[in-house]
Amino acid sequence: MKVYLDNAATTSIAKEVITEIQPYLSTYFGNPSSTHSFGRKTKNAIEISRKKIADFINADNSEIIFTSGGTEADNMAIRRAVIDLNVKRIITSKIEHHAVGHTAENLKDSHNIEVVYLTTDKKGNPSIEQLKELLKKDVKTLVSLMHANNEIGTLLPIEEVSLLCNKYENVYFHSDTVQTMGHYSFDVKKLKIDFLVCSAHKFHGPKGIGFLYVNKNLHLNPIITGGSQERNHRGGTENLYGIIGLAKAMELAFSDLENHQKHVEELKYYMKEELYKMDSRIIFNGETDPNKSLYTVLSVGFPKDICNSMLLFSLDIFGIAASGGSACSSGSTKGSHVLAELPFLENFQTVRFSLCRYNTIEEVDYTLDKIKSIVLKGK
Ligand SMILES: Cc1ncc(COP(=O)(O)O)c(C=O)c1O
């Protein structure tokens, strides 16, 4: 049996998405910038997709800028906020994805920007009280806090933070919503946020495509200069198949969001309970309260006396894919920077199981069974 429980790293592409993309791989190949009928056909398909996507989050079409994914969208928001909006200070946390953390550090060196890190509690929640205090200082600031942590699943009260940032004219709010877009509903008009980020491969769309939502009151210049695509916001021939696939993936995600959420949540809490029964010393990272935790992620800390670093390899031998840290850092020799911020985890072996709407109870049972055999052997 093959079981894929690494959906926070990437998801399988939905078959409906493949069907939707197919004609654009063969029949409709015109360059969307060409003015002849071949180009008009694909340009039209892109604009229909943009409208569909914008409608799902209650944005205007002009507020959606297609990018190569979450990393580029994060980069664009943060870099252009510094260059075009004259931001002098970035408030963030140490457990952001590297697309945010490394970008902020890079700007600190290249543009002499102050970078302030909020402290985080044991569950990975950044201190909102500290944020409130920091915002009292009158300096152009970008607050960059992820909606959900990709490694431990902590969920930010994004509405509360947005409300807070909106009190100040000099404060912009960017949230890396890569792990939540396609999994939660968004209404940007209610949220009143400046920047949101999407990556299609996190919800059964293609890799290499995403978008940055930019509030229409802000004007950003491109980080990728070239042609006048994306209304001069991003040069380069559009990723036509990606855009078509992203719109379809969003349509599938939003068509039955509540049921998807319910199904995945049931699997997560079933797995959590069964693991706890196995050994009550097993801990769960991030908030385990359903309202404060990303429902697709179950980050588990196994006491080291019953489980060693071979657990992931052993699971892999049984055909089960899970993860230690994030996929982006798995090729690196360094450990996870997120787990490093939670020092009490030193005594635990952390494994992230991340679920999707296609996972089944049988797959979870199979996984639990294999964990039991590995862990009990270590006892
Ligand atoms: C929270 C978060 N931000 C950004 C990214 C990067 O997205 P992409 O792979 O589309 O560049 C990821 C991907 O793992 C992520 O989990």
Side-chain angles (χ1 to χ4, degrees), residues 34-47:
S34 299
T35 51
H36 48 61
S37 65
F38 289 77
R40 288 198 305 276
K41 172 77 191 167
T42 52
K43 175 80 180 165
N44 196 33
I46 288 176
E47 292 316 315

Side-chain angles (χ1 to χ4, degrees), residues 181-220:
M181 191 64 75
H183 299 284
Y184 291 84
S185 50
F186 287 89
D187 181 334
V188 292
K189 299 233 166 21
K190 278 196 190 139
L191 198 53
K192 292 199 174 95
I193 195 163
D194 296 296
F195 307 106
L196 284 178
V197 172
C198 169
S199 176
H201 75 99
K202 304 293 186 183
F203 54 99
H204 308 290
K207 293 172 182 51
I209 185 70
F211 68 81
L212 175 66
Y213 159 83
V214 183
N215 185 291
K216 60 173 175 261
N217 298 321
L218 305 175
H219 180 78
L220 298 196

Side-chain angles (χ1 to χ4, degrees), residues 8-9 68-71 74 97 99 146 148 150 176 178-179 199 201-202 328:
S68 64
T71 302
D74 280 331
H97 189 272
M146 67 205 312
N150 49 308
D176 177 341
V178 165
Q179 290 292 340
S199 176
H201 75 99
K202 304 293 186 183
C328 313

Side-chain angles (χ1 to χ4, degrees), residues 48-307:
I48 289 172
S49 300
R50 193 190 309 278
K51 163 104 182 75
K52 230 189 213 179
I53 292 164
D55 284 350
F56 281 125
I57 61 168
N58 199 19
D60 296 350
N61 297 0
S62 64
E63 294 178 311
I64 305 294
I65 302 170
F66 290 119
T67 64
S68 64
T71 302
E72 187 189 324
D74 280 331
N75 265 268
M76 182 168 182
I78 301 169
R79 288 184 189 281
R80 297 319 304 192
V82 168
I83 299 166
D84 299 327
L85 307 177
N86 211 17
V87 157
K88 298 288 182 218
R89 177 176 69 161
I90 298 171
I91 300 177
T92 184
S93 93
K94 287 258 167 91
I95 63 167
E96 291 290 314
H97 189 272
H98 284 322
V100 169
H102 286 175
T103 307
E105 280 298 316
N106 181 258
L107 287 162
K108 181 166 125 185
D109 298 337
S110 64
H111 286 74
N112 206 17
I113 298 302
E114 186 190 359
V115 180
V116 185
Y117 293 100
L118 298 177
T119 54
T120 43
D121 67 14
K122 281 176 96 172
K123 294 291 184 185
N125 298 294
S127 167
I128 305 296
E129 286 313 307
Q130 190 189 1
L131 178 63
K132 281 182 188 164
E133 278 306 307
L134 286 165
L135 290 184
K136 287 180 186 162
K137 185 172 159 189
D138 187 19
V139 51
K140 274 235 169 162
T141 298
L142 177 72
V143 174
S144 181
L145 292 173
M146 67 205 312
H147 189 195
N149 186 278
N150 49 308
E151 293 193 39
I152 55 175
T154 316
L155 203 56
L156 183 81
I158 192 170
E159 293 86 3
E160 188 189 328
V161 176
S162 195
L163 203 66
L164 182 59
C165 293
N166 268 300
K167 284 191 188 163
Y168 302 90
E169 227 169 74
N170 262 349
V171 176
Y172 303 101
F173 180 30
H174 158 253
S175 186
D176 177 341
T177 44
V178 165
Q179 290 292 340
T180 50
M181 191 64 75
H183 299 284
Y184 291 84
S185 50
F186 287 89
D187 181 334
V188 292
K189 299 233 166 21
K190 278 196 190 139
L191 198 53
K192 292 199 174 95
I193 195 163
D194 296 296
F195 307 106
L196 284 178
V197 172
C198 169
S199 176
H201 75 99
K202 304 293 186 183
F203 54 99
H204 308 290
K207 293 172 182 51
I209 185 70
F211 68 81
L212 175 66
Y213 159 83
V214 183
N215 185 291
K216 60 173 175 261
N217 298 321
L218 305 175
H219 180 78
L220 298 196
N221 288 308
I223 52 168
I224 296 181
T225 47
S228 57
Q229 290 92 349
E230 295 299 288
R231 301 170 321 286
N232 286 315
H233 286 109
R234 186 198 191 257
T237 300
E238 296 87 340
N239 177 352
L240 174 65
Y241 338 107
I243 293 169
I244 304 285
L246 162 58
K248 186 66 188 177
M250 269 191 114
E251 182 191 310
L252 293 172
F254 284 108
S255 65
D256 207 6
L257 201 58
E258 266 178 38
N259 278 329
H260 294 158
Q261 179 160 357
K262 190 167 166 281
H263 171 71
V264 176
E265 226 163 51
E266 274 169 13
L267 294 182
K268 170 174 165 168
Y269 290 106
Y270 170 70
M271 192 166 181
K272 182 181 167 232
E273 265 168 39
E274 292 300 310
L275 285 170
Y276 189 72
K277 276 187 218 159
M278 217 178 278
D279 190 322
S280 60
R281 293 173 306 148
I282 291 177
I283 60 164
F284 302 94
N285 304 313
E287 285 284 358
T288 43
D289 174 339
N291 297 319
K292 289 184 174 175
S293 171
L294 175 61
Y295 63 90
T296 51
V297 166
L298 182 64
S299 171
V300 184
F302 293 93
K304 280 195 171 157
D305 62 316
I306 55 162
C307 166

